[in-house]
Amino acid sequence: MHVVEECLAQLLKKQQEGHKTGEDDIDHALVLTEALAHYNKVSADCGSECPLNVVVVGPTQSGKSTTINWLTGTQAAKAEALAGYTRHAQGFITVELLANIEQYLEHFFNQWERVEQSELTNQELSAWSITRVDAKKEYSQPIIFWDTPDFDSISSKAYRTVALKLLAFADVIVFMVSKEKYADQTVWDTLKIIQPLHTPLLICLNKTPQDAANEILPELDERLSNAGLQAGVINIPYLENTQNSEEHAQRLREALKPLLKQCEHRDIPYVIRTIARQHWKIWTVDAYHEIELLAQWQATVAESLDDMSSQYETDYLQGPLYEGTLQKAMVRLLELIEVPGLAAPLVHARKALTWPARKIRAMFAQAKLPVVAGAVQLDKEKEILQDELARLLVSLQHHTGKQLAKGNHVDRQWWKNLFNIIDLQSDSITRDFSIDVDQYQMLFQQQIDAAADELYAHLQENPAKLNGLRMARVTTDAAAVVIALKTGGIGLNDLVLTPAMLSFVSMLTEGALGQYMQGVERKLKKSQKEAVCNLLITKTLQGRMNGLQSSMSQKGLYNLSLSQLSAVEKELGLQDG
């Protein structure tokens, strides 16, 4: 049941956040079920020495604290005429508070602070107390009697879940009502919630004259039967003073005894499944809506990345700037065919292209060549990819901004959190993408070299063409190499600047050899698009953009995945498998 407990805790946490901001009210069945799941986890800590828990609940001024005193035979619980006086879980234990019992209770009230009864204040509602009392000797087993806040007053909205949490671990429930309150909707709503618990139940019709009780009790029995509730019922008349209270206190204790004997080991997982099945769709409707929002976001990301891929193909692969890739292949080819006088400088220059700018500048200094400002330019392919990323980020943030004005508060909160994380991570996404582009280009250089190798292999099958290229009148032209470096690459467009290279270019681009080169170029473009799409767009960007949801603020969100919800549904028996 661990996965169920985690999910219920997350659902309740979100409702509590919405409750604080006035957006939502808290589902009482969810409070009870989450407490049951938590109790199922911690109850083993106490072992067989765990006392029975008798929980006294009821609406405003139904006499809960007085009933605690009657059941214990003490004056430990503070009873006041003021409505809503009790606002905390207050336990009164009939035996010594052993370490394992103390630990068990502190684990159960894990989010609340334990304080002494005298230190409970209305300013801090997340607190509880446990007090040792010398109860009547007539109880044969250790018992903790729990006094609880009311659940129906206007002010109880801030603390009414306390009673529901206590009902989760009750071994016996004493439900207090009066002739004014017994028919209230809040009373029967609470009884309906606890019905699946099948906890031994004692209904105490308090402060009711006998003649009024004679009319109310038959109706009360009928309503209990219709609600599927089995309960003992006792009437306590209104007492003007406490001098004659002991007789009625004794009647109350006697009515409790048979219920204490009915306490058996409860199948809590079964109870959790029973309640959760009834309310699951209501509890998770907004959580599933968040999952739909994530699917919408992922679809938008996929569409935007498709546009980025198409734009890259238009701007680079099919544009004039693609010569950058061809230049790199041509440098490799020139190395392979070993053109006299030019091969060695090209090899050194080609290596320089992979160095940082300071290395290239050092190369110029050693050769005593002038360095022109801006000589080392950004790789054209990288520049295009970075521009496309910038447009992508702006487009996606614009899309999330538009969604903020739509839908309910769940939609707005989800898109707001996503908008903020895009804004927060845009710079790091850009930096990481630049590194990823460098890594991709280093890997793709192998395919560029392979294209040149393929062309060289073709030339080897045509010795006349190969020898013609080798015997071309090419002289070492340091100026051409410098110009090539300044423009960011070495290739045909740079080498054409040297008149001596005209015959070399013509031999490569004309006739059958030229057609073969076009085929090599088409294959290279196809491979390059696949590499960019697979390595940069799909593997890097799509994963990063889809993953923003996991790193954005979860404030105000359920943050439950489809796999988590499916696992809980399987555990609850809501789906097969």
Side-chain angles (χ1 to χ4, degrees), residues 56 61-70 72 74-92 115-122 129 131 133 145-150 207:
V56 180
Q61 294 180 306
S62 57
K64 296 183 293 295
S65 298
T66 298
T67 299
I68 290 287
N69 290 334
W70 284 7
T72 61
T74 69
Q75 294 298 313
K78 297 179 180 179
E80 294 286 341
L82 181 65
Y85 180 78
T86 301
R87 299 192 175 192
H88 305 84
Q90 299 181 44
F92 302 93
V115 300
E116 294 299 320
Q117 183 188 15
S118 59
E119 297 175 0
L120 293 171
T121 66
N122 291 341
S129 68
T131 305
V133 294
F145 293 94
W146 291 96
D147 193 6
T148 65
D150 64 83
K207 305 178 182 179

Side-chain angles (χ1 to χ4, degrees), residues 386-413:
Q386 289 183 328
D387 288 345
E388 291 300 331
L389 174 64
R391 281 193 286 269
L392 173 76
L393 292 173
V394 170
S395 173
L396 290 176
Q397 194 158 33
H398 177 68
H399 173 79
T400 58
K402 287 173 59 178
Q403 304 307 311
L404 289 175
K406 301 179 181 179
N408 56 25
H409 67 274
V410 176
D411 296 62
R412 292 193 298 272
Q413 187 65 54

Side-chain angles (χ1 to χ4, degrees), residues 240-255:
E240 293 185 0
N241 57 65
T242 60
Q243 293 179 355
N244 300 322
S245 64
E246 179 55 30
E247 175 187 349
H248 299 292
Q250 184 61 37
R251 287 179 56 232
L252 184 61
R253 291 193 291 268
E254 291 298 324

Side-chain angles (χ1 to χ4, degrees), residues 191-406:
L191 287 169
K192 182 179 179 180
I193 289 172
I194 67 175
Q195 187 274 333
L197 299 176
H198 297 293
T199 304
L201 176 64
L202 176 63
I203 304 291
C204 182
L205 184 60
N206 196 24
K207 305 178 182 179
T208 306
Q210 190 59 49
D211 55 346
N214 292 336
E215 296 179 4
I216 293 173
L217 288 175
E219 181 184 351
L220 188 58
D221 287 337
E222 183 179 356
R223 297 190 66 167
L224 288 169
S225 178
N226 292 338
L229 287 161
Q230 294 183 347
V233 180
I234 184 173
N235 173 53
I236 302 294
Y238 175 77
L239 302 176
E240 293 185 0
N241 57 65
T242 60
Q243 293 179 355
N244 300 322
S245 64
E246 179 55 30
E247 175 187 349
H248 299 292
Q250 184 61 37
R251 287 179 56 232
L252 184 61
R253 291 193 291 268
E254 291 298 324
L256 178 65
K257 287 181 181 180
L259 298 182
L260 294 174
K261 295 178 181 179
Q262 295 177 21
C263 296
E264 298 178 355
H265 175 71
R266 294 183 294 164
D267 187 350
I268 298 177
Y270 172 80
V271 176
I272 292 172
R273 294 187 186 100
T274 301
I275 302 176
R277 286 171 186 168
Q278 297 175 3
H279 302 272
W280 184 252
K281 287 186 178 180
I282 297 174
W283 293 345
T284 59
V285 61
D286 286 341
Y288 272 109
H289 184 58
E290 282 186 7
I291 294 172
E292 291 174 2
L293 294 177
L294 175 59
Q296 292 176 23
W297 164 247
Q298 291 174 341
T300 300
V301 168
E303 182 179 351
S304 300
L305 291 176
D306 285 342
D307 292 342
M308 181 179 179
S309 175
S310 299
Q311 198 63 43
Y312 165 76
E313 183 174 15
T314 300
D315 292 348
Y316 186 69
L317 297 181
Q318 305 300 335
L321 294 175
Y322 189 68
E323 65 192 27
T325 297
L326 296 179
Q327 288 170 357
K328 294 175 183 177
M330 203 55 56
V331 169
R332 170 67 176 168
L333 180 61
L334 287 169
E335 295 173 27
L336 293 171
I337 64 176
E338 299 177 351
V339 176
L342 186 57
L346 286 173
V347 170
H348 291 299
R350 182 172 181 271
K351 291 179 180 178
L353 291 176
T354 63
W355 294 352
R358 59 183 179 81
K359 290 289 186 180
I360 296 177
R361 291 179 180 274
M363 179 179 175
F364 276 90
Q366 291 174 3
K368 297 182 180 180
L369 296 172
V371 179
V372 181
V376 181
Q377 297 181 357
L378 184 66
D379 179 275
K380 293 298 181 183
E381 181 189 25
K382 184 173 183 178
E383 186 175 4
I384 287 173
L385 287 169
Q386 289 183 328
D387 288 345
E388 291 300 331
L389 174 64
R391 281 193 286 269
L392 173 76
L393 292 173
V394 170
S395 173
L396 290 176
Q397 194 158 33
H398 177 68
H399 173 79
T400 58
K402 287 173 59 178
Q403 304 307 311
L404 289 175
K406 301 179 181 179

Side-chain angles (χ1 to χ4, degrees), residues 3-18:
V3 64
V4 175
E5 182 198 359
E6 286 188 341
C7 182
L8 292 173
Q10 188 64 17
L11 290 171
L12 181 58
K13 178 183 177 182
K14 172 59 178 67
Q15 284 203 6
Q16 289 170 334
E17 290 177 355

